[in-house]
Amino acid sequence: MLTRRTLGLSTAAFVLASGLAGSALAQQKTTIEFWHGLPQPLGGQLEQIVQDFNASQDKVQVNPSFKGSYPETMQAAIAAFRAGNAPHIVQMFEVGTATMMAAGPAIKPVYQLMAETGAGLDPAAYIPAVRGYYSSRDGKMMALPFNSSTSIMFYNKDAFQKAGLDPEKAPATWPEMIEAMKKLKASGVSCAFTTSWPTWIQLEQLGSLHDTPFASKSNGFGGLDAELKINAPLFVKHLDTLVQLQKDGLFKYGGRDNKADALFPSGECAIAHASSGLRSRISKEAKFNWGAAPLPYWPEFAKDGPKNGIIGGAAFWVMTSPKRTPAEYKAVSEFFSYLARPQVDAKWHMDTGYVPVTLQGFQQAQASGFYDKNPGADVPAKQLTRTPTTENSMGLRLGNLPEIRNIIQEEMEKAFQGEQTARQALDNSVKRGNTVLRNFERANKG
């Protein structure tokens, strides 16, 4: 007979049993520690993807942790590895690629992880310019691409119209850019043009678009003994042009890295070269009609037209640890397989403004009508895929590249301040940057 007392006892026993079962299930899960360097709101969007993965299965628990900026995340991961407690996965910005590849036993390459665990991941599914950046010279994928960007041009359509320019036609070449700047200034615009990320966009991307080496040895892919080549005629002409444009009041230097980002959405500058990831901010803040277009090029240095651009952003690296088990690596591979799904890639792209890293992700975004509703949102992907990659447009594989970027920015600023010529700035950049490269070579050779 079922009495209130027996019902109570039965219920208590059920709850206890359920709790034990839940606890046992939790214990069966393989836990993965994932360190990333994305602040809010992007960090929250990334962690939502992790939660979606966790909810999709009952075998793996991925724990995301924000560890500060990309350089701070890199330093934290290095310290943890030395202490024997490296996270399973760390997000690393693209300029840290050479450092991670030189880390040897500290990392497990993605191609090796997938082969050992039998997980499915087709490198050919990735956009070549993205895949190439994170692959070894023989084409083996070393890290999992995820949040990739590239640099493009944003322009103020209202300002163009006021200046008598066609608001539906952005300048395609640098001569056209310069003519547009003059008309914008004549119409009363105080800042015709600015740029974020001066070294990435105005030198690294410049070399890629014009199929001109930024450094020897295929931009460093061919060996640690690479040397900078940024005092070649293309780069000298380009920097000399920027210096002259600044003197003429047509170009505003907005500072290092992404310091100039605010100058376009605020309406101060009519044209900006910036990361494609700026699109989200512009959409929220700009009080004017605007458009997006590929970066311009110099016709005399690109007789056959411009090549593909190179990427920015970050990738996910697998780290090793003395106590790491095969089950943990298997769990990492399952998480990576989830991230590689086209629907996950397409959603991340459409939600954040980062470029789709897979060809199917791009196609899914296209099929959904996203680009019809958001004109110009496909410019980054089209710029990345418009030509096959060359050894000068695959990306850069240079040790301590963040330090080299700072050196180049210092020398560029001296040129903008009139303390030296463009040629002197780039000669000094090559000399000082090559010293950094030799130090990296000595520390990592053999």
Side-chain angles (χ1 to χ4, degrees), residues 78-130:
I78 292 171
F81 174 76
R82 288 171 177 165
N85 297 312
H88 298 80
I89 306 167
V90 64
Q91 183 188 35
M92 193 62 60
F93 56 171
E94 91 286 3
V95 292
T97 300
T99 300
M100 293 301 286
M101 290 185 66
I107 65 159
K108 181 182 281 292
V110 163
Y111 79 86
Q112 187 179 339
L113 172 82
M114 293 306 186
E116 290 177 0
T117 60
L121 184 74
D122 180 12
Y126 285 82
I127 289 175
V130 175

Side-chain angles (χ1 to χ4, degrees), residues 153 170-178 202 205-206 208-211 234 237-238 273 294-307 383 386:
M153 177 164 60
T173 67
W174 272 99
E176 290 177 10
M177 268 281 291
I178 294 167
Q202 303 304 330
Q205 290 282 12
L206 185 78
S208 176
L209 297 180
H210 297 82
D211 199 17
L234 167 68
K237 177 181 177 63
H238 190 66
H273 293 173
L295 293 173
Y297 64 98
W298 290 102
E300 66 266 44
F301 290 99
K303 300 293 186 185
D304 299 325
K307 301 296 183 185
Q383 184 176 263
R386 64 185 170 193

Side-chain angles (χ1 to χ4, degrees), residues 23-58:
S23 175
L25 186 61
Q27 290 176 2
Q28 290 172 3
K29 284 190 173 183
T30 302
T31 301
I32 299 300
E33 299 300 329
F34 168 37
W35 292 5
H36 71 83
L38 283 179
Q40 299 291 8
L42 292 170
Q45 291 171 291
L46 173 60
E47 293 184 7
Q48 182 58 55
I49 289 177
V50 174
Q51 298 310 321
D52 292 344
F53 167 75
N54 288 338
S56 72
Q57 46 73 54
D58 58 6

Side-chain angles (χ1 to χ4, degrees), residues 217-228:
K217 297 282 182 177
S218 303
N219 283 342
F221 279 76
L224 296 176
D225 54 341
E227 296 184 338
L228 297 181

Side-chain angles (χ1 to χ4, degrees), residues 376-387:
D378 56 348
V379 167
K382 287 183 175 178
Q383 184 176 263
L384 281 174
T385 59
R386 64 185 170 193
T387 62

